[in-house]
Amino acid sequence: MYTQALNVKDEGPALVDAERDAAFQARIDRDEKIEPNDWMPEKYRRTLVRQISQHAHSEIVGMLPEGNWITRAPSLKRKAALLAKVQDEGGHGLYLYSAAETLGTSREELNDQLLTGKAKYSSIFNYPTLTWADIGMVGWLVDGAAIMNQIPLCRTSYGPYARAMIRICKEESFHQRQGYEIVMTLARGNADQKAMAQDALNRWWWPALMMFGPPDAESLHTDQNMAWRIKRFSNDDLRQKFVDATVPQGHHIGLEFPDKDLKFNEATGHWEFGAIDWSEFKRVLAGEGPCNRQRLAQRNKAHDEGAWVREAALAHAEKRAARRMMQAAE
Amino acid sequence: MTEKNWPLWEVFIRSRNGMAHRHVGSLHAVDATMALANARDTYTRRGEGLSVWVVPSNAITASDPAEKDMLFEPTASKIYRHPTFYEVPDEVGHM
């Protein structure tokens, strides 16, 4: 998921203050929100900074595979929609950085962690967008999977994070629908267009399922994060919800999922799916995905080449402020 | 880091006339003009507002959550500040 950070083991020191910890937990159990200046366990703070910033980094890096197609969108309508969507992703990153900063970590520090590779972003953005159909898949599957995770996070215990998620969820629904419409249009087009849509689904389906993170049996720290209401459903539960929602949408437009074990279980009412190749997931997380190096290089290039703009804007503001002071003194 | 950082601003938006400005988040900008432009791009892409305020974050003085009880608890016992504290006969009707 965008918050795969939760599956990373927290190695930092955990100062325990049993009395305060219990009072803190009681507040969360009463469904009270935690606000920036409230006391919180160090580990809660650290986990949130890691989760929210990874989420923000995912939004920012997620602009790259889609930005790749802005100049080649097939019509003005598609181009305008894609531009708006990519701008939204940038906005989502900013809401989230703003929420993370309320925990006392500066924007520059967070940005630095992304650029040096110290912080992670979602594994999904290390896959390439090879054809226009991939842009449809990113909206339909990637944003669809993100929504599954983000809707419960609207009720997460940390106030600024919950408020950012509410704004994001409102906007995300447009993303998924525009993606599905792209896929549907191709699936109903000529044989080549339909083949393009099917090929894109074949490549994106499994990585989309991996977005939810490792199976519950291997997921670290789930209990603590559930108790803190930072995480509200398990990886496997969310993955199943996504499969159940998505498979009928694909079948409706005549696409086949690349999983020979996929079948509907009448008794449970769920779609059963085949084994996920977790070795691929681990490779991508470890930096060996198809585009890891390219994504990080692009972010670093943009940051470095923008340095003079940041400096010039600051120098200009300082000059103007100084002039105002002079005029006021006269 | 050699670069000097851009200051932090808090953003408040009035969603429509008749409503108060409400805090929506923060952003970084070199001055008030840029903060307003960034606030518009970041927080009002779908008609969320008719008016934006930006305030340097360090200009805000906030109460300390640790003093919450001292500051706000005393009002809980002053029930005579609420209309329901006073008895008015039913026959008098709505007051």
Side-chain angles (χ1 to χ4, degrees):
Chain A
M1 188 34 60
Y2 281 19
T3 53
Q4 283 157 350
L6 282 182
N7 302 308
V8 177
K9 198 162 179 155
D10 182 353
E11 306 283 7
L15 294 171
V16 178
D17 180 336
E19 202 173 315
R20 286 186 118 178
D21 282 357
F24 180 80
Q25 187 61 51
R27 290 187 64 192
I28 289 180
D29 292 344
R30 284 195 299 273
D31 244 335
E32 278 181 37
K33 295 286 183 212
I34 308 302
E35 293 294 341
N37 294 325
D38 293 350
W39 183 88
M40 60 187 83
E42 266 319 295
K43 209 172 145 194
Y44 176 86
R45 184 185 300 276
R46 208 162 51 220
T47 305
L48 271 177
V49 169
R50 199 172 60 221
Q51 174 172 341
I52 300 173
S53 63
Q54 171 171 334
H55 197 153
H57 299 329
S58 299
E59 301 282 359
I60 300 298
V61 177
M63 296 166 82
L64 296 171
E66 293 187 290
N68 182 33
W69 277 91
I70 291 174
T71 57
R72 293 175 286 162
S75 69
L76 192 56
K77 173 187 140 184
R78 296 290 186 210
K79 182 172 177 168
L82 185 57
L83 258 175
K85 181 180 186 298
V86 173
Q87 192 190 5
D88 272 354
E89 306 297 3
H92 296 175
L94 296 177
Y95 305 158
L96 288 160
Y97 283 129
S98 154
E101 285 177 279
T102 64
L103 291 158
T105 308
S106 74
R107 176 78 58 96
E108 292 74 18
E109 217 173 312
L110 297 170
N111 200 33
D112 202 48
Q113 288 170 356
L114 171 65
L115 296 176
T116 56
K118 187 174 169 246
K120 299 285 178 216
Y121 52 86
S122 178
S123 55
I124 196 75
F125 299 117
N126 290 315
Y127 290 86
T129 43
L130 303 176
T131 69
W132 172 249
D134 290 36
I135 295 304
M137 291 300 160
V138 170
W140 175 36
L141 301 179
V142 175
D143 290 316
I147 289 170
M148 286 289 166
N149 183 50
Q150 288 170 347
I151 285 179
L153 285 176
C154 292
R155 293 182 294 115
T156 195
S157 61
Y158 188 58
Y161 190 27
R163 293 192 285 275
M165 289 318 309
I166 290 169
R167 296 180 63 90
I168 290 174
C169 284
K170 273 192 201 156
E171 301 180 357
E172 204 75 55
S173 137
F174 134 63
H175 297 179
Q176 190 186 14
R177 292 172 64 115
Q178 69 94 35
Y180 187 68
E181 200 196 84
I182 289 172
V183 177
M184 183 172 70
T185 306
L186 290 171
R188 289 177 177 169
N190 63 32
D192 285 347
Q193 289 168 323
K194 189 170 179 190
M196 188 194 276
Q198 184 61 56
D199 165 66
L201 178 59
N202 294 347
R203 285 181 289 108
W204 286 91
W205 177 244
W206 292 107
L209 294 189
M210 292 174 202
M211 283 175 69
F212 295 92
D216 294 347
E218 293 169 30
S219 191
L220 306 157
H221 292 264
T222 290
D223 292 346
Q224 178 63 81
N225 293 329
M226 289 271 197
W228 277 337
R229 302 194 186 175
I230 290 174
K231 190 180 176 111
R232 308 218 51 160
F233 291 98
S234 80
N235 294 352
D236 286 338
D237 285 352
L238 287 170
R239 188 165 16 244
Q240 184 64 55
K241 260 175 95 146
F242 173 71
V243 172
D244 288 342
T246 309
V247 168
Q249 294 166 356
H251 288 162
H252 182 74
I253 50 177
L255 296 178
E256 294 289 332
F257 289 84
D259 178 0
K260 60 181 173 23
D261 297 320
L262 188 71
K263 61 173 185 293
F264 189 69
N265 183 327
E266 294 282 352
T268 62
H270 292 298
W271 283 90
E272 291 172 356
F273 50 95
I276 295 171
D277 178 7
W278 291 111
S279 64
E280 174 180 327
F281 177 69
K282 286 183 185 127
R283 275 200 307 279
V284 176
L285 276 195
E288 298 303 317
C291 302
N292 295 57
R293 288 180 194 82
Q294 187 192 5
R295 300 287 186 239
L296 218 49
Q298 278 176 303
R299 279 311 311 151
N300 273 289
K301 181 167 181 273
H303 183 77
D304 294 344
E305 291 180 356
W308 73 270
V309 179
R310 293 191 296 277
E311 284 162 23
L314 202 56
H316 182 64
E318 280 168 356
K319 191 180 79 184
R320 288 184 12 143
R323 189 181 299 156
R324 270 198 306 275
M325 290 280 279
M326 292 270 285
Q327 282 166 351
E330 273 167 18
Chain B
M1 217 177 279
T2 52
E3 274 178 57
K4 206 172 149 197
N5 299 332
W6 288 12
L8 189 66
W9 300 72
E10 299 300 322
V11 181
F12 300 80
I13 291 176
R14 184 204 296 284
S15 55
R16 57 173 198 268
N17 282 1
M19 306 287 277
H21 284 76
R22 201 171 145 186
H23 183 243
V24 292
S26 63
L27 51 77
H28 291 263
V30 292
D31 60 14
T33 310
M34 187 195 267
L36 270 183
N38 288 357
R40 172 211 174 257
D41 289 346
T42 308
Y43 292 103
T44 67
R45 288 193 303 282
R46 286 177 176 76
E48 290 92 336
L50 298 174
S51 166
V52 182
W53 287 351
V54 289
V55 180
S57 302
N58 60 16
I60 294 180
T61 307
S63 65
D64 181 353
E67 292 176 358
K68 182 170 62 126
D69 290 347
M70 188 184 75
L71 288 172
F72 308 114
E73 205 283 328
T75 63
S77 60
K78 295 179 176 58
I79 51 172
Y80 47 84
R81 286 181 173 174
H82 298 278
T84 48
F85 179 74
Y86 302 93
E87 211 167 294
V88 174
D90 286 348
E91 301 82 68
V92 173
H94 178 73
M95 185 181 284

